[in-house]
Amino acid sequence: MGEKAIRVEKLKKYYGDLKAVDGIGFEVEQGTVFGMLGPNGAGKTTTIEMLVGLTERTDGSVEVLGLDPGKEQDKLKKRIGVRLQSPALFNHLTVRELMDLYAGFYENAFDTKEVIEMLGLSDKANVRIETLSGGQFHKLATALAIISNGELIFLDEPSTGLDPQSRREIRSAILKLKSMGKTIFLTTHNMDEAEALCDDLIIIDYGKIIAKGSPFDLIAQYFGGKIIELLVPDLEKKDYHGFEKLEGVSKVDYPKEGKNINIYTQDYAVTIIDLINYTREQGINIENLEFRRPTLDDLFIELTGREMKSEGF
Ligand SMILES: Nc1ncnc2c1ncn2[C@@H]1O[C@H](COP(=O)(O)OP(=O)(O)O)[C@@H](O)[C@H]1O
Ligand SMILES: [Mg+2]
């Protein structure tokens, strides 16, 4: 620990007037899963492309495994695996053939069969890529990054568009790679996934970092206590003011316009008693009530006032 796999300072990529990446800085420890989170268009893919030497940076400094991806891409390429968001793959080959081809590019590549199994592609090993479903194609793209057996693996939205089973396969593959001592750089707009996998993360929005830290610390930093989430079918917005006045409550918001209300409380035992009395007095009908810990989704709303779409395209 302590060795940095990636160091980035004041990194920028401008496309004319468009500031795709606007002065970001962060470090990634070796052997960790690092997450870059942000909505569509935030600058995630552009950042990865600069980190692996596929896109020239406008400004700033980047060191990946001690190398400058702009100048030493050939050296770097041998030591990393990269899964781009929308890869172009040879459609006429079978899954196994393409994986063998990629394995040939690397000195210590994984065994093709092992990676095929890791990602649940065994029954598709001998079919042509053009016949794969969207989800299978995405998994293959991730398999091609993993097969490098690189020290550092970049995965650009590996779980977007996947079914739950495939997502679990990707998650367990990432954890397996981590247990082997590899560093994983992951982009996602799925906050649950980031919370489950990442040791450290940055949240970016419009090319800038808006939060940085471990999921646990970030949530603790922005929110003290717990959330009481209420489902109230026929509530008018004017009634929200009543909830704000309950004992222990620091904030009330309603992320999913309409029925759901999130009540942030520092002392939920006190708040819940007050809440029950209040709703009874007012004749407010509660359909469901849950206690929960704030999540990264709540944090994103807190920081930007918008909801992060957990599925994109
Ligand atoms: N080659 C390009 N030319 C012009 N604009 C681009 C190019 N690539 C990306 N962009 C723009 O840069 C911004 C960041 O894009 P991207 O890095 O793909 O975001 P993300 O991966 O977070 O969805 C977007 O506004 C996108 O339209
Ligand atoms: Mg992207």
Side-chain angles (χ1 to χ4, degrees):
M1 279 301 194
E3 278 293 297
K4 307 290 182 226
I6 303 177
R7 287 176 206 272
V8 170
E9 274 177 44
K10 298 179 182 149
L11 179 62
K12 292 182 183 163
K13 179 70 188 183
Y14 292 176
Y15 291 106
D17 288 342
L18 190 133
K19 297 176 175 175
V21 175
D22 196 13
I24 63 173
F26 59 87
E27 291 183 339
V28 178
E29 301 270 348
Q30 273 184 11
T32 63
V33 180
F34 184 88
M36 184 171 199
L37 277 68
N40 281 318
K44 303 181 297 295
T45 297
T46 307
T47 301
I48 288 201
E49 286 172 354
M50 290 190 282
L51 294 181
V52 303
L54 287 173
T55 295
E56 221 174 298
R57 51 190 188 259
T58 304
D59 200 7
S61 67
V62 176
E63 215 180 271
V64 180
L65 302 175
L67 302 167
D68 178 343
K71 297 191 183 118
E72 299 165 291
Q73 204 211 355
D74 287 347
K75 270 195 207 161
L76 183 61
K77 226 160 54 175
K78 295 185 183 138
R79 296 173 57 191
I80 61 175
V82 183
R83 184 252 138 100
L84 293 175
Q85 197 174 349
S86 323
L89 304 177
F90 299 101
N91 270 331
H92 55 284
L93 296 182
T94 68
V95 167
R96 192 196 308 276
E97 283 165 351
L98 185 63
M99 289 186 61
D100 283 339
L101 178 69
Y102 270 60
F105 299 153
Y106 299 95
E107 259 170 43
N108 300 310
F110 271 116
D111 177 44
T112 302
K113 191 161 172 268
E114 192 180 339
V115 180
I116 285 178
E117 278 167 13
M118 203 192 278
L119 289 172
L121 284 167
S122 298
D123 56 341
K124 297 289 163 190
N126 296 315
V127 309
R128 279 165 184 253
I129 289 155
E130 61 203 352
T131 67
L132 295 178
S133 71
Q136 290 156 354
F137 182 87
H138 282 300
K139 285 203 285 185
L140 172 62
T142 296
L144 293 171
I146 292 175
I147 198 134
S148 65
N149 198 8
E151 296 154 61
L152 170 58
I153 314 261
F154 291 90
L155 299 175
D156 196 2
E157 302 213 15
S159 62
T160 297
L162 292 186
D163 58 279
Q165 166 68 15
S166 301
R167 277 173 198 243
R168 278 195 293 277
E169 283 157 354
I170 299 277
R171 276 188 200 197
S172 67
I174 289 173
L175 291 174
K176 183 165 182 200
L177 294 169
K178 181 183 162 177
S179 75
M180 297 170 74
K182 298 186 186 304
T183 310
I184 318 292
F185 187 102
L186 173 74
T187 75
T188 178
H189 47 207
N190 185 315
M191 295 294 198
D192 288 345
E193 175 175 273
E195 221 168 308
L197 288 174
C198 297
D199 298 294
D200 277 299
L201 57 90
I202 52 178
I203 302 180
I204 64 163
D205 197 23
Y206 299 113
K208 286 190 157 64
I209 293 179
I210 56 172
K212 189 190 264 191
S214 72
F216 186 85
D217 288 348
L218 275 173
I219 289 164
Q221 180 188 335
Y222 284 89
F223 308 108
K226 281 203 167 71
I227 293 179
I228 304 173
E229 185 169 337
L230 292 183
L231 182 60
V232 184
D234 28 58
L235 192 70
E236 300 285 331
K237 261 196 197 157
K238 62 179 165 51
D239 295 325
Y240 292 150
H241 299 293
F243 291 109
E244 268 142 22
K245 288 184 203 128
L246 299 178
E247 230 178 305
V249 171
S250 53
K251 183 168 99 100
V252 178
D253 65 27
Y254 29 96
K256 292 167 198 119
E257 281 291 335
K259 287 173 149 194
N260 276 63
I261 305 172
N262 286 338
I263 300 174
Y264 291 74
T265 169
Q266 304 300 320
D267 186 344
Y268 65 94
V270 167
T271 303
I272 193 75
I273 293 169
D274 217 12
L275 173 70
I276 286 166
N277 288 333
Y278 173 72
T279 50
R280 193 178 289 157
E281 262 168 43
Q282 300 286 319
I284 295 171
N285 169 31
I286 297 176
E287 198 171 298
N288 193 30
L289 182 153
E290 278 172 34
F291 285 111
R292 63 179 181 85
R293 211 166 61 80
T295 63
L296 288 175
D297 270 317
D298 299 309
L299 177 61
F300 188 78
I301 294 166
E302 174 77 14
L303 293 170
T304 66
R306 310 195 308 278
E307 245 184 286
M308 172 94 77
K309 289 219 182 72
S310 55
E311 268 306 330
F313 40 89

